[in-house]
Amino acid sequence: MKFGVPKEIYEGEARVALTPDSAKQIQKLGYEIAVESGAGARAGFSDSDYEAAGVEVIKTAAALWKASDIVAKVRQPDETEMKRLRKDQTLISFFNPGGNAEGMEKAKASGANVIAMEMVPRISRAQKMDALSSMANIAGYRAVIEAGNNFGRFFTGQVTAAGKVPPAKVLVVGAGVAGLAAIGTSTSLGAITYAFDVRPEVAEQVESMGAEFVYLDFEEEQQDGAATGGYASVQSEEFRNAQLAKFRELAPEVDIVITTALIPNREAPELWTKDMVEAMKPGSVIVDLAAEKGGNCKLTVADEKIVTDNGVTIIGYTDFPSRMATQASTLYATNIRHMMADLTPEKDGQINHNMEDDVIRGATVTFEGDITFPPPPPKVAAIAAKPKEVVKEKTPEEKRAEEIAAFKAQTKQQVTLLVVGAVLLLGVGLVAPASFMQHFIVFVLSVFVGFQVIWNVSHSLHTPLMAVTNAISSIIILGALMQIGSGSFLVIILAALSVFMAGINIFGGFLVTRRMLAMFQKS
């Protein structure tokens, strides 16, 4: 089968769905590959680069669509491209199925199978095919660069001979893939970064990247994003009011606002209202990554940059990934390559469109003359975080009762051990000679003392080697002390040396332990 990639005809689109490197990987799956002449030129890939990778270069789009069994694109196909679809042909592209009913009807009528890359389910196995995340990552990074290009000051604070420059304050609304990319870029440039998201589980991710998470004083429990496929869900009116009140509080303080909030198959929620824009300082910048869906800012104009009466710049570009065409094409082509690998498990150059596969089924919007959108929930769903269990604080009476019960249990255990030990010693004493009992009692006492001195000490306070050394030293010193009273002068000398060396070992060990502990203490 032939895998073909046409030139993007959407105005201003510079990306391409195939790179020379990804072409080599797809060829290993058994496919012949063709590309329309000039398809990769705006992304930095010439026709000669493709030819060097063994790709056939076809002059016209019509010829390429006719020759290809599988067509991969970036942008949603237009009316002309939809007419070129034919029965049993496979199209892999962004398709916007939630807002493209007419396109799905045309694909159904043509008999073509359409895979929408934005419908790849957000499960672990499908991350390598998640084109939305790939493009959102680039958009988040580029948003900060565009904001910096239109912001009249440094991001990082500086102290110079000419004066002190305070760091910029950046607020990122929405901590999805694009938001996290924006947070990472902003903090790396030295700005004080704040972030907000309706999904509480992202707070830890935000803080781990050096930003401060903006919490709301709101009691309602928000839904875990994992329960909605990793996306934000619609919130209550009370929550929205609390959210807007917090943004109004932050508006006069922040210099740059980057909004990324989107809900699948809905218009972008309005989060930054006109009065918030009016409250911002002159020279501030708003970058609205949701401009294509209506924008999170009330004043955003899609594909334009405007300046308000109070000097706030609002950027509503919808082509951020295309502004980094080489990088975006490389990532998107990799997503396509992984999708092709899943569609070709036998690596025989033949598509196996397995509708039992969660990823393939989730991304397929038309199949064999039927519309299959929306897909059923994937069998393997993301695991939502369990709600934190509220541990009831115990009363002083309950704590006291537990302490008494623990003391009684410990006392009972110790008394039992002493009684059992005494009985065993008496039993041994009845049958053993007196000379044996003298040494045996010394041995038992040594073991007991070693146990009490070493065993009850936490392992975090003693290294295993030191613990064993001290235990052995304890046994030696007790034996040596017992032999000092011997009638033999040689035995007395040896016993004294044993006490001296064992003492060095014991006290030296504890001194080293003390120095080790001092390393972890604040002065």
Side-chain angles (χ1 to χ4, degrees):
M1 298 179 79
K2 182 167 285 188
F3 177 90
V5 176
K7 183 179 180 180
E8 296 297 323
I9 58 178
Y10 187 88
E11 186 178 354
E13 181 55 68
R15 290 172 292 175
V16 64
L18 182 78
T19 64
D21 285 340
S22 69
K24 293 176 183 177
Q25 299 299 319
I26 295 174
Q27 285 168 344
K28 292 178 182 178
L29 299 174
Y31 294 100
E32 296 178 9
I33 303 181
V35 67
E36 183 183 348
S37 179
R42 286 176 289 181
F45 305 110
S46 66
D47 289 350
S48 59
D49 292 333
Y50 287 111
E51 289 174 339
V55 177
E56 179 187 358
V57 177
I58 297 178
K59 288 186 178 180
T60 65
L64 182 126
W65 281 82
K66 186 176 180 180
S68 302
D69 301 293
I70 307 115
V71 177
K73 276 179 49 60
V74 179
R75 286 279 186 170
Q76 175 183 327
D78 68 359
E79 188 174 345
T80 302
E81 290 174 319
M82 290 302 297
K83 288 179 180 177
R84 290 172 176 158
L85 279 175
R86 65 176 187 271
K87 184 176 173 59
D88 296 329
Q89 193 174 40
T90 299
L91 171 65
I92 305 174
S93 172
F94 282 111
F95 201 77
N96 185 28
N100 189 18
E102 184 181 350
M104 286 195 293
E105 288 294 340
K106 289 180 179 178
K108 173 186 174 181
S110 69
N113 302 328
V114 177
I115 294 175
M117 289 302 289
E118 66 264 61
M119 291 303 298
V120 170
R122 284 189 164 176
I123 57 177
S124 298
R125 185 169 66 85
Q127 287 180 353
K128 60 189 177 182
M129 295 169 257
D130 190 352
L132 273 182
S133 293
S134 298
M135 298 302 102
N137 180 33
I138 294 174
Y141 171 85
R142 183 70 186 197
V144 178
I145 302 303
E146 290 289 342
N149 188 45
N150 288 275
F151 184 57
R153 297 208 321 265
F154 291 126
F155 266 71
T156 186
Q158 290 192 2
V159 178
T160 70
K164 183 178 179 182
V165 179
K169 291 185 178 180
V170 178
L171 171 64
V172 179
V173 181
V177 176
L180 291 173
I183 290 166
T185 308
S186 175
T187 54
S188 67
L189 289 173
I192 298 173
T193 309
Y194 304 94
F196 173 82
D197 198 284
V198 298
R199 297 164 297 175
E201 71 272 16
V202 303
E204 189 174 330
Q205 299 174 37
V206 166
E207 290 166 354
S208 71
M209 298 183 75
E212 180 180 334
F213 191 78
V214 177
Y215 290 95
L216 293 184
D217 186 13
F218 189 74
E219 295 298 326
E220 181 182 294
E221 185 176 344
Q222 293 110 59
Q223 187 177 19
D224 190 319
T228 55
Y231 296 95
S233 57
V234 180
Q235 302 298 317
S236 68
E237 188 64 27
E238 292 80 7
F239 182 88
R240 174 175 165 75
N241 290 336
Q243 175 180 304
L244 294 179
K246 189 66 177 180
F247 290 163
R248 287 190 179 95
E249 179 186 328
L250 292 171
E253 301 178 18
V254 294
D255 302 299
I256 295 170
V257 177
I258 298 172
T259 63
T260 71
L262 282 172
I263 298 173
N265 304 318
R266 287 176 176 266
E267 287 296 303
E270 183 187 329
L271 302 177
W272 208 259
T273 58
K274 184 179 178 181
D275 63 295
M276 295 177 195
V277 176
E278 292 170 348
M280 296 178 73
K281 295 172 287 191
S284 300
V285 180
I286 298 172
V287 182
D288 195 340
L289 291 180
E292 196 168 9
K293 292 288 186 178
N296 295 137
C297 177
K298 181 69 174 177
L299 304 179
T300 298
V301 179
D303 294 311
E304 291 187 21
K305 178 177 74 174
I306 64 170
V307 180
T308 64
D309 293 338
N310 63 322
V312 176
T313 301
I314 303 176
I315 300 172
Y317 301 150
T318 60
D319 61 346
F320 285 107
S322 187
R323 289 170 182 260
M324 301 180 67
T326 303
Q327 182 71 75
S329 298
T330 300
L331 295 181
Y332 183 69
T334 302
N335 296 142
I336 294 287
R337 188 250 297 179
H338 285 301
M339 176 61 76
M340 290 301 300
D342 268 32
L343 287 167
T344 321
E346 301 298 327
K347 299 183 180 181
D348 56 357
Q350 298 294 320
I351 275 190
N352 177 14
H353 204 120
N354 180 13
M355 293 294 276
E356 296 298 317
D357 184 288
D358 273 346
V359 178
I360 295 172
R361 173 64 188 90
T364 302
V365 295
T366 66
F367 181 66
E368 295 182 349
D370 288 323
I371 293 175
T372 58
F373 175 83
K379 297 167 192 165
V380 182
I383 301 174
K386 293 181 180 179
K388 293 182 179 178
E389 296 180 4
V390 179
V391 181
K392 184 181 177 182
E393 191 173 347
K394 296 175 182 177
T395 63
E397 292 77 12
E398 289 175 333
K399 291 180 180 178
R400 178 64 178 166
E402 286 186 357
E403 290 173 0
I404 292 172
F407 175 75
K408 287 181 178 179
Q410 187 177 11
T411 303
K412 182 179 179 181
Q413 182 184 19
Q414 290 176 346
V415 170
T416 302
L417 288 173
L418 287 172
V419 170
V420 171
V423 170
L424 289 174
L425 281 175
L426 287 173
V428 173
L430 291 173
V431 295
S435 58
F436 172 80
M437 284 303 299
Q438 181 181 359
H439 292 88
F440 182 68
I441 290 172
V442 171
F443 171 75
V444 170
L445 289 174
S446 301
V447 171
F448 178 75
V449 171
F451 175 84
Q452 292 298 326
V453 170
I454 302 303
W455 189 265
N456 288 334
V457 176
S458 171
H459 288 287
S460 62
L461 303 180
H462 272 298
T463 64
L465 178 62
M466 192 178 298
V468 172
T469 303
N470 286 340
I472 295 173
S473 299
S474 300
I475 296 171
I476 292 172
I477 200 168
L478 286 173
L481 287 171
M482 295 293 295
Q483 297 300 324
I484 282 180
S486 172
S488 170
F489 181 75
L490 180 61
V491 173
I492 293 173
I493 293 294
L494 292 175
L497 287 173
S498 298
V499 171
F500 175 72
M501 288 185 286
I504 292 175
N505 212 1
I506 293 172
F507 297 116
F510 284 118
L511 286 172
V512 171
T513 302
R514 185 179 181 83
R515 292 186 64 180
M516 288 172 62
L517 291 174
M519 293 169 60
F520 300 98
Q521 293 176 346
K522 291 184 178 180
S523 58

